[in-house]
Amino acid sequence: MQKLNFPTYSFRFKNNENKVSIFDAIRKKFVVLQPEEWVRQHCLQFLIEEKKYPKSLINVEKELTVNDLRKRYDIVVYNPNGQIHLVVECKAPKINIDQTVFDQIARYNLELNATYLMVTNGINHYYCQMDFENERYVFLRDIPEYQK
């Protein structure tokens, strides 16, 4: 798999029927290793190791309904009070991060109401803070570390 723009992490792999799987510490199971999954697993480790978010507050690949359509978000991080703190959209490294990707996460966030958004393809990372009053997002240099 391609080297990503994240710190180096160690992962557990398994090979089954000529398919490589990677262990997801949040879902507590092996998942087939695809380029987007490689990015998602790095992002999870980044949130846990660098940003100190507790695993218990992180949710991965759950379904939500947006405009009567069933969608799946990549990563959501909750606040201890149960409100959604951060939504992350992961793309494969070959996917360019463009307005379409930001529109996608913005649509998800109409339902989720997260304070922060992160979009990454493993190479480029974009961080935003929601400005609900003015219905826009403000780009940030980074997302904040976990605050108890």
Side-chain angles (χ1 to χ4, degrees), residues 11 21 29 33 41 47-48 50 64 71 74 95 97-98 115 119-120 129 133-134 137-138:
F11 296 102
S21 295
K29 67 179 185 176
L33 183 56
Q41 292 305 316
L47 294 171
I48 294 163
E50 315 310 321
L64 74 151
K71 303 288 186 182
D74 285 306
I95 304 293
I97 306 291
D98 58 13
T115 306
V119 176
T120 181
Q129 183 171 5
E133 197 172 297
N134 296 305
Y137 38 80
V138 178

Side-chain angles (χ1 to χ4, degrees), residues 86-101:
L86 168 69
V87 178
V88 182
E89 180 61 30
C90 300
K91 296 294 183 192
K94 70 177 195 304
I95 304 293
N96 285 331
I97 306 291
D98 58 13
Q99 189 62 48
T100 316
V101 178

Side-chain angles (χ1 to χ4, degrees), residues 104-115:
Q104 178 186 3
I105 197 169
R107 277 193 307 276
Y108 289 3
N109 206 38
L110 289 173
E111 296 295 322
L112 300 171
N113 295 313
T115 306

Side-chain angles (χ1 to χ4, degrees), residues 43 46-47 50-51 53 77 85-88 115-119 126-129 140-146:
C43 192
F46 171 75
L47 294 171
E50 315 310 321
K51 297 299 176 182
Y53 288 100
V77 180
H85 177 71
L86 168 69
V87 178
V88 182
T115 306
Y116 296 96
L117 307 177
M118 176 180 176
V119 176
Y126 299 93
Y127 312 102
C128 307
Q129 183 171 5
L140 305 172
R141 289 183 161 283
D142 202 352
I143 52 171
E145 277 195 16
Y146 176 70

